[in-house]
Amino acid sequence: SLPLLVAILYKESMVWSFLVPLLIAALVGGGLMLLCKPQNRKIYARDGFVIVALAWVLVSLIGSIPFYMGGAVSSFVDAFFETVSGFTTTGASILTEIESLPRGILFWRSSTHWLGGMGILVLALALFPSIGERAQNLMAAESPGPTSEKLTSRISTSSKILYVIYMILTVLMVGALLCTGMNLYDSVVNTLATAGTGGFSVLNNSIAGYNNLAAEVVITVFTALFGINFTVFFMLITRQFTKAFRNTEFVVYLSVILISIGLVATNVYSIYQSFGQALRHASFNVVTVITTTGFSSTDFATWPQFSQLILVGLMIIGACAGSTGGGIKVSRMILLGKAVTREVRRMITPKRISVIKMNGKPIPESTITNTAVFGMLYFLIAVGAMLIISIDNFDFLTNTTSVISCLSNIGPALGSVAGPTGNYNAFSDLSKIVLSLCMIIGRLEIFPLVVLCYPAAWKGTVAKK
């Protein structure tokens, strides 16, 4: 693996920390291939949810080994938390000292963001076309958003296109950061963290540690780009310019960002020496929060309550569906808004027949129901997690925003503990496990983990589509 090569390149004595998980992954994968030979290889919706949920938990467990064996953390719970945070592109960390860690470990830490950003199983579909055409439900279960849209008629081809776009943007960002004076290693690791909208930094003070305005501008622009639905990029590549720029979610996403930047910059102007400096920090942190990247250029936990409330709202909204960002997603918020508007109109004119549309296309009622259920489950899971971690007796703001941050895959929270300049190390092991599950639930968008806990999912009968 690349982290192993980085460790060898920098002459770090931690080769086995990467070889052991590689061997375990090979043994587990090979063993499952030998033992599991079902007669019916069709992957149904139920199967897709279960496979995706189990795969993410298993990959996170194996991915924890380098952190634990390499000595970066002292307990496996901490290693699991850090790995889950990486793969789910959350960026929440329990590490109190980052800059002293081996470069191989830091490279692996950032690599987990890149791998998890587009989806671990989506990558498998791109690499192994033979399983793609019977695994549509895998992509549907792992891809973020209320609907799973294929770019082409073949799942494997769609997966390849997504990853080609992903890699092109990644390479462009590495080049752009090099032009700002950042060295190659830092350019690569920061790009990996940005591409997956994760936010793991190799500096204790995150991006603020570079004190590089040009680098902040590059990261802000590319973070915003990675928060856009990749279908929009495909439209631009295929010269469907009008369709791309009139995409409802894209327009709303950009509008929310620009309005939020304006409001926050105006509100925090008195804290900084000039409006330009306020605009700089407002732009960077608004973009990294709504895309759930979690980089920070300043301690926004010290901002006025108005700006903090805007950031909490952006945490919940999140980025676009079909991007590498987290949160509830802009498209779901649009659908919920349209559904509320339709119900109000029905109360006024009961006989009125109204169909909810997005981008000129009617949205199935099943998608509207799915979106409403998602919102309710998000709320219930958040409240349940807040109750459990409140046992640690931290303040209300810390408990609330820590859960929202993990469930929306953002990373930094507000409050005195897990803010932009803090970390999650002070939480108990129980809270870290709960927050780790929140990260996985948020990244897989709730339903795979809910299905995994449902007894019918484990019955031997084959579920129908």
Side-chain angles (χ1 to χ4, degrees):
S1 66
L2 286 177
L4 175 60
L5 294 177
V6 171
I8 294 173
L9 178 65
Y10 286 97
K11 299 178 181 179
E12 295 171 345
S13 57
M14 52 183 308
V15 174
W16 284 104
S17 299
F18 294 112
L19 282 179
V20 169
L22 283 174
L23 292 172
I24 292 175
L27 289 172
V28 171
L32 289 174
M33 289 179 65
L34 291 173
L35 295 174
C36 302
K37 295 182 178 179
Q39 294 181 348
N40 184 0
R41 292 179 176 269
K42 178 70 175 179
I43 299 176
Y44 295 93
R46 179 197 67 174
D47 306 323
F49 284 127
V50 172
I51 291 170
V52 167
L54 290 177
W56 273 75
V57 173
L58 180 60
V59 167
S60 297
L61 288 170
I62 295 174
S64 305
I65 297 174
F67 290 110
Y68 187 64
M69 286 189 64
V73 296
S74 58
S75 75
F76 196 79
V77 171
D78 285 352
F80 182 70
F81 181 96
E82 197 77 12
T83 307
V84 169
S85 180
F87 280 126
T88 59
T89 72
T90 303
S93 181
I94 48 80
L95 297 174
T96 56
E97 170 55 38
I98 298 171
E99 295 174 25
S100 61
L101 292 176
R103 294 205 172 194
I105 285 292
L106 292 177
F107 192 91
W108 167 241
R109 190 167 172 260
S110 296
S111 297
T112 56
H113 281 333
W114 196 87
L115 292 170
M118 189 59 67
I120 298 169
L121 296 180
V122 173
L123 176 60
L125 295 178
L127 295 176
F128 304 103
S130 60
I131 66 172
E133 303 318 310
R134 62 173 184 270
Q136 180 176 351
N137 288 311
L138 286 180
M139 190 169 183
E142 191 179 47
S143 298
T147 59
S148 180
E149 186 174 353
K150 295 190 295 182
L151 302 182
T152 67
S153 59
R154 295 174 64 86
I155 291 293
S156 57
T157 304
S158 295
S159 302
K160 287 179 181 177
I161 292 172
L162 288 173
Y163 262 94
V164 167
I165 296 172
Y166 195 35
M167 287 187 285
I168 289 173
L169 288 173
T170 300
V171 171
L172 288 175
M173 183 174 174
V174 171
L177 285 178
L178 286 172
C179 292
T180 68
M182 191 177 288
N183 64 54
L184 178 60
Y185 178 83
D186 284 32
S187 296
V188 172
V189 292
N190 284 317
T191 295
L192 294 176
T194 302
T197 60
F200 276 155
S201 176
V202 293
L203 297 182
N204 293 328
N205 293 328
S206 190
I207 302 303
Y210 292 103
N211 194 26
N212 186 332
L213 176 59
E216 285 182 26
V217 171
V218 169
I219 292 172
T220 301
V221 171
F222 276 92
T223 300
L225 290 175
F226 283 111
I228 296 172
N229 191 325
F230 275 47
T231 303
V232 173
F233 294 122
F234 181 72
M235 292 176 187
L236 293 175
I237 292 171
T238 54
R239 299 185 179 183
Q240 302 177 61
F241 301 115
T242 303
K243 188 176 180 181
F245 291 117
R246 288 184 179 178
N247 181 276
T248 304
E249 185 180 34
F250 174 65
V251 172
V252 172
Y253 169 72
L254 288 183
S255 300
V256 170
I257 288 177
L258 294 174
I259 292 171
S260 298
I261 289 173
L263 291 173
V264 171
T266 303
N267 185 236
V268 303
Y269 171 48
S270 60
I271 299 176
Y272 298 100
Q273 296 177 349
S274 66
F275 185 76
Q277 194 176 27
L279 186 63
R280 166 186 174 180
H281 291 300
S283 301
F284 186 90
N285 291 283
V286 162
V287 170
T288 59
V289 167
I290 193 173
T291 59
T292 70
T293 304
F295 280 137
S296 61
S297 63
T298 187
D299 185 4
F300 53 71
T302 62
W303 283 359
Q305 288 292 312
F306 179 75
S307 293
Q308 290 190 40
L309 283 173
I310 290 177
L311 294 182
V312 172
L314 297 177
M315 286 181 183
I316 296 172
I317 295 170
C320 298
S323 70
T324 60
I328 289 179
K329 300 293 184 301
V330 174
S331 58
R332 282 198 179 94
M333 301 304 292
I334 295 172
L335 290 179
L336 286 173
K338 288 178 177 286
V340 170
T341 302
R342 182 177 67 173
E343 291 307 310
V344 171
R345 287 176 177 173
R346 279 181 176 175
M347 293 176 186
I348 299 172
T349 54
K351 294 183 179 181
R352 181 189 180 100
I353 298 175
S354 179
V355 177
I356 294 177
K357 294 183 179 181
M358 186 177 287
N359 299 317
K361 296 180 181 179
I363 303 297
E365 287 300 315
S366 59
T367 301
I368 305 300
T369 302
N370 178 285
T371 302
V373 171
F374 179 92
M376 180 56 67
L377 287 174
Y378 183 98
F379 172 77
L380 292 175
I381 292 169
V383 171
M386 289 173 197
L387 286 173
I388 296 174
I389 72 168
S390 65
I391 297 173
D392 289 347
N393 206 31
F394 291 125
D395 60 272
F396 178 77
L397 182 63
T398 294
N399 292 334
T400 302
T401 58
S402 292
V403 169
I404 293 175
S405 180
C406 289
L407 197 55
S408 294
N409 304 132
I410 294 166
L414 300 175
S416 59
V417 179
T421 58
N423 56 64
Y424 289 75
N425 188 55
F427 285 94
S428 65
D429 284 351
L430 173 61
S431 293
K432 288 173 184 174
I433 292 171
V434 170
L435 292 173
S436 296
L437 290 175
C438 283
M439 294 182 218
I440 297 176
I441 290 170
R443 172 58 183 85
L444 299 184
E445 307 216 316
I446 298 177
F447 294 111
L449 268 294
V450 171
V451 170
L452 193 64
C453 298
Y454 194 62
W458 298 96
K459 291 182 179 180
T461 55
V462 177
K464 293 182 180 181
K465 256 185 173 180

